Amino acid sequence: MKRWARELGFDAAQIGDADLGAAAETGLAAWLEAGHHGEMDYMAAHGAKRARPAELVPGTRRVISLRMNYRPPAAKPSEAVLADGEAAFVSRYALGRDYHKVLRNRIQKLAERIEAEIGAHGYRAFVDSAPVLEVEAAARAGLGWRGKHTLLLSREHGSFFFLGELFTDLPLPIDPPLPQEHCGRCTRCIDVCPTQAIVAPYRVDARRCVSYLTIELKGAIPEELRPLIGNRVYGCDDCQLTCPWNRFAVDSAEADFAVRNGLDDVSLAELFGWDEAAFKTRLAGTAIFRIGHERWLRNLAVGLGNAPTTPAVVAALQSRRDDASALVREHVAWALERHGQT
């Protein structure tokens, strides 16, 4: 099965038990109780089922966790984009095709390959789209350990990878978890977070996280957090970029994750000029598409508000001063005020 997974483009596959342990359930409950999930009500909707795969999919005995590297090899260096105030930074995972589609298709093919070998079996594929504690499942299967930024870390591959799961009722042999984690006393991810969203080791307050603010949040971005977002218009990679283990990160060999539409090296003003038709045409099939044009403009307005005051930046903002969307107008007005424009 592991060989078949590699043949399908996965970089690793490990098998874990369906019992994720009491610690996972307790940690989830505490995180939800603190309100750290923000508007992500779906995180609470299934309650303890997230930590109990056999309750989510009755009959589940094992969880096959799969890893696929996503960092595109030809992308402009992230540090260079972040340092250019007029450029738009898009999280590296979103530069290519929507990973949900890529991984789900491959996991389904893996399940069908298993079925062709042994006959019908109960299974269900997951890719960040259902109540699954994917990092916990992957850690228990030995794919890596949970870093202090809450992402899965691998000594050999860092953290620039996607995770997917195949729940199965097959009594497969279980891979042991790693004997220890390897973050030690390092706090680089905590220290570098632009909004200080990592409120404690292994605990993220999503309400402050740039990824949440630019992707999950549907309404206005809290004004006090806008200046801290900088030019990050879709997601944030800072905690990964600073992590020492990512010196071992491996670029993706998957063509679907190659950069599309030049999003690794494009100005905020240029993207702000896209109308809705251009947005839909150019970003169809990407992860960005799901936030919609309105929130995309909201994010870009914040980025332009944090950009250097140049004629191009001010002109871009002025062009949408009277935008049809109240959400966009609010963020444009804030951005123009930042540039001394009333």
Side-chain angles (χ1 to χ4, degrees):
M1 292 181 188
K2 294 177 180 179
R3 175 170 55 82
W4 297 336
R6 289 193 296 272
E7 290 171 357
L8 287 166
F10 290 101
D11 296 288
Q14 297 275 94
I15 302 164
D17 188 66
D19 180 7
L20 299 186
E25 188 173 329
T26 301
L28 173 63
W31 186 72
L32 293 170
E33 180 65 25
H36 287 163
H37 58 302
E39 291 183 1
M40 296 185 291
D41 295 334
Y42 60 85
M43 292 296 297
H46 294 271
K49 282 187 178 181
R50 286 184 173 272
R52 302 173 184 172
E55 289 188 17
L56 180 63
V57 181
T60 298
R61 301 178 71 175
R62 300 289 186 266
V63 177
I64 303 176
S65 289
L66 303 121
R67 185 182 73 210
M68 185 180 288
N69 298 327
Y70 66 70
R71 193 176 65 180
K76 184 173 181 178
S78 298
E79 294 82 359
V81 180
L82 288 166
D84 181 355
E86 292 190 66
F89 180 80
V90 174
S91 183
R92 304 294 89 172
Y93 83 84
L95 292 176
R97 188 183 178 205
D98 189 344
Y99 68 96
H100 296 89
K101 299 178 181 180
V102 178
L103 268 70
R104 183 178 293 281
N105 177 265
R106 305 293 176 84
I107 297 174
Q108 180 63 33
K109 288 183 177 179
L110 176 61
E112 292 170 359
R113 178 67 180 85
I114 295 171
E115 195 163 71
E117 183 73 19
I118 67 166
H121 64 103
Y123 68 86
R124 185 173 171 186
F126 293 98
V127 183
D128 193 25
S129 57
V132 179
L133 295 181
E134 61 177 14
V135 172
E136 189 66 31
R140 290 182 70 84
L143 270 184
W145 74 94
R146 181 186 293 272
K148 293 178 182 177
H149 48 19
T150 75
L151 302 174
L152 191 76
L153 280 169
S154 163
R155 294 183 71 172
E156 295 78 24
H157 292 265
S159 62
F160 286 101
F161 49 74
F162 296 123
L163 294 173
E165 299 78 38
L166 181 63
F167 285 22
T168 177
D169 61 3
L170 298 175
L172 304 172
I174 296 173
D175 292 306
L178 298 181
Q180 66 181 88
E181 59 91 20
H182 300 281
C183 287
R185 290 181 289 182
C186 178
T187 59
R188 289 191 188 182
C189 59
I190 298 173
D191 300 336
V192 79
C193 180
T195 55
Q196 293 299 287
I198 308 174
V199 295
Y202 317 105
R203 179 68 64 90
V204 171
D205 185 344
R207 296 168 298 183
R208 298 187 62 86
C209 178
V210 176
S211 289
Y212 169 83
L213 295 170
T214 58
I215 300 172
E216 300 291 345
L217 183 66
K218 294 180 173 60
I221 295 173
E223 193 165 331
E224 67 273 15
L225 296 178
R226 294 176 195 174
L228 306 179
I229 291 174
N231 61 347
R232 302 166 184 84
V233 299
Y234 190 91
C236 178
D237 289 344
D238 287 38
C239 62
Q240 297 191 81
L241 293 171
T242 194
C243 179
W245 289 109
N246 271 322
R247 67 182 181 272
F248 302 116
V250 178
D251 288 340
S252 177
E254 176 54 59
D256 277 328
F257 297 148
V259 178
R260 295 185 175 191
N261 298 293
L263 288 177
D264 63 320
D265 186 14
V266 63
S267 72
L268 293 159
E270 179 180 341
L271 295 179
F272 205 56
W274 289 5
D275 60 18
E276 188 167 11
F279 172 85
K280 290 181 175 180
T281 299
R282 298 178 186 181
L283 298 183
T286 70
I288 300 172
F289 186 83
R290 73 185 183 95
I291 71 170
H293 187 234
E294 183 182 41
R295 278 191 274 167
W296 177 239
L297 292 178
R298 174 200 65 184
N299 298 346
L300 288 164
V302 171
L304 287 164
N306 294 325
T309 303
T310 66
V313 167
V314 173
L317 288 167
Q318 292 281 14
S319 72
R320 292 195 180 275
R321 181 193 286 272
D322 299 317
D323 193 87
S325 164
L327 181 68
V328 174
R329 290 198 305 273
E330 175 191 343
H331 290 75
V332 167
W334 171 85
L336 284 169
E337 187 176 351
R338 296 263 291 173
H339 292 291
Q341 306 291 312
T342 57

